[in-house]
Amino acid sequence: MTSKPKVAFFDFAGCEGDQLEIINLEERLLDLVEVVEVVSFREAMSEHSDDYEIAFVEGSITTPHDVERLEEVRSNADTVIAIGSCAAFGGINSIRNEQDFQTVTERAYGEDAAMFDDPDAELFDSFEQAQPAKAFVEVEYEVPGCPIDGEEFIQTVTAILQGGDPSLANHPVCVDCKLAENTCAFDRGEICLGPITRGGGCDATCVSQGTRCWGCRGLVDNPAEDAYSEVLQEYGVTTDELLNEFTLYWSWQREHGPQADMQEVEQ
């Protein structure tokens, strides 16, 4: 009888909401631990081990120390899986990427921001841009979302353990909206990113609940940009309004593309 694969969870710059979604699986999580051995999971246990085959990484990479930790995780793991929007493509943290870094630090630290100009100041060294895990190391799989969908997480892990390929769906959220018979968010007067956001895992939950798609699952591969432009023109959405929507999750992904990997990214 073979031993159970050892898995570990690691958090970087993020809210750790994705790990909470995993804990909230409750009974399903108990089924999962029947087939894997969790050796490190700060949200759920105090024990820690660097002996693991599968590593789940949450949060964006924002400091040189983050890079060192991530590279160590990568060196220990056979498989690395980015969970959540921040780890997969920069996510919410990348809002700052299109802003002046000095302005960002002043907003965050107030009067203390001046210490960033002092080489003797004992402050952490932050990158000017928040970046996903794949900007620095090879990442085998991703489970996007803010937060992730628990069922999609289970399906991904199950496929990996069975030797399968947990490929992400490659259709826009609009497909899920049509299946759910939702009224289009544009018809409700809202700017929706559903036509170019990856569907499949969220089941168009936001639109089904009366709001719009915010783009938390990232850009779908090869989005139908021309068709989306026609929709925007039809509903009178301006370029400035649209760009403002794109900065919520996609500041890194807009620059590097939905399928960017570490070989394509300048560190």
Side-chain angles (χ1 to χ4, degrees), residues 5 17 22 55 86 101 107 113 120 144-145 154 158 165 171 221 235 241 248-249 267:
I22 295 170
C86 292
F101 186 61
R107 184 182 301 125
D120 297 323
I154 290 290
T158 301
D165 180 15
H171 62 258
D221 298 340
Y235 288 94
E241 289 174 324
L248 184 60
Y249 283 99
Q267 298 184 18

Side-chain angles (χ1 to χ4, degrees), residues 25-129:
L25 287 168
E26 298 178 344
E27 288 84 2
R28 299 295 306 280
L29 184 58
L30 293 177
D31 293 336
L32 183 62
V33 298
E34 290 293 323
V35 293
V36 300
E37 179 184 354
V38 180
V39 300
S40 185
F41 194 170
R42 190 173 62 83
E43 288 283 349
M45 57 191 288
S46 58
E47 296 81 6
H48 170 75
S49 171
D50 290 323
D51 179 18
Y52 48 84
E53 289 83 43
I54 301 173
F56 296 96
V57 173
E58 177 183 15
S60 62
I61 308 305
T62 62
T63 71
H65 178 62
D66 285 347
V67 176
E68 293 175 4
R69 287 184 59 221
L70 181 63
E71 289 177 342
E72 182 178 359
V73 169
R74 174 70 273 184
S75 67
N76 288 336
D78 296 327
T79 302
V80 173
I81 305 168
I83 56 174
S85 301
C86 292
F89 53 88
I92 287 288
N93 287 331
S94 64
I95 289 176
R96 77 185 200 184
N97 291 11
E98 299 186 38
Q99 303 178 43
D100 175 70
F101 186 61
Q102 182 64 34
T103 301
V104 171
T105 57
E106 289 175 355
R107 184 182 301 125
Y109 297 100
E111 296 179 356
D112 292 336
M115 288 194 293
F116 278 89
D117 297 324
D118 181 359
D120 297 323
E122 294 184 0
L123 294 173
F124 64 85
D125 185 14
S126 176
F127 294 143
E128 293 193 9
Q129 293 194 344

Side-chain angles (χ1 to χ4, degrees), residues 176-194:
D176 299 324
C177 264
K178 288 180 171 60
L179 292 173
E181 300 182 349
N182 289 328
T183 298
C184 180
F186 280 104
D187 288 335
R188 299 199 301 258
E190 299 186 80
I191 300 175
C192 184
L193 297 181

